[in-house]
Amino acid sequence: MQQNTRTTSVMIREAGLKDLSEMQRLERVCFDVEAFSKFQLRYLVTTPTGISLAAEIDGKFAGFIIGIINRNRYGTYGRIYTLDVDTSFRGKGTGTELTRALIDRFKTAGCEKCFLEVREDNDNAIALYHKLGFENKHIIPHYYAEGVHAIKMRKDL
């Protein structure tokens, strides 16, 4: 007897102001007190050097990622500000696809490196970033709150 298997495909698209309500909802789900406010998300989505991408699965908003391209005397680099995946869509490759798509955009824009910060106790996110080639650089003490540290990570592009 043959079983029907269904693979879920993640569709990545540009995110914009029309997605702000869903983005804010997911920010609160994923980060609670550390979540970006609606004002902060609006700023990140509309900043000229920003890249905002959304993931849809079966027509539903499954997650998003926001990064910014920065240029300074040391070169051009990308920074991932937030990656959010709805709990019902985790484990389906959504975070991986969003991160890969953003990294591709960074490369196209001439970025040589990509940076991010992640809570040191966020094992799933850390595993995802390691799988994608990010390396731990150092701990940033009390980054999120008193006693809540971040790991600064970097990937050469």
Side-chain angles (χ1 to χ4, degrees):
M1 182 171 170
Q2 186 178 8
Q3 278 189 312
N4 288 336
T5 56
R6 183 169 182 256
T7 59
T8 306
S9 74
V10 178
M11 199 266 297
I12 306 296
R13 63 168 174 80
E14 298 287 327
L17 291 176
K18 68 185 181 313
D19 300 304
L20 208 52
S21 293
E22 278 295 314
M23 294 166 96
Q24 185 181 26
R25 179 189 66 78
L26 270 184
E27 252 312 282
R28 280 193 240 117
V29 167
C30 295
F31 296 106
D32 192 31
V33 296
E34 298 148 5
F36 285 121
S37 68
K38 192 170 190 175
F39 176 80
Q40 290 168 316
L41 286 170
R42 179 184 300 275
Y43 171 78
L44 291 170
V45 167
T46 59
T47 195
T49 60
I51 300 169
S52 302
L53 303 172
E56 291 183 355
I57 297 177
D58 296 330
K60 295 182 179 74
F61 193 88
F64 72 96
I65 191 167
I66 299 174
I68 303 284
I69 298 167
N70 296 288
R71 290 176 180 84
N72 63 24
R73 64 182 178 184
Y74 302 110
T76 303
Y77 64 94
R79 178 163 177 241
I80 297 174
Y81 276 81
T82 191
L83 169 63
D84 302 56
V85 176
D86 195 298
T87 53
S88 60
F89 294 106
R90 291 184 185 163
K92 300 179 187 313
T94 309
T96 300
E97 291 301 316
L98 281 165
T99 307
R100 283 184 176 147
L102 181 60
I103 289 169
D104 286 345
R105 301 287 178 91
F106 284 157
K107 287 179 186 176
T108 300
C111 294
E112 297 141 4
K113 295 177 179 14
C114 179
F115 295 94
L116 61 86
E117 295 82 28
V118 61
R119 275 179 66 133
E120 70 176 350
D121 62 355
N122 190 341
D123 296 331
N124 290 335
I126 293 166
L128 166 70
Y129 296 132
H130 282 159
K131 177 178 83 172
L132 293 172
F134 283 84
E135 298 175 349
N136 295 12
K137 295 320 283 175
H138 59 271
I139 299 290
I140 306 172
H142 316 291
Y143 183 80
Y144 293 102
E146 186 65 32
V148 185
H149 313 307
I151 300 172
K152 179 82 163 189
M153 300 184 87
R154 183 182 91 191
K155 175 181 174 66
D156 292 332
L157 305 180

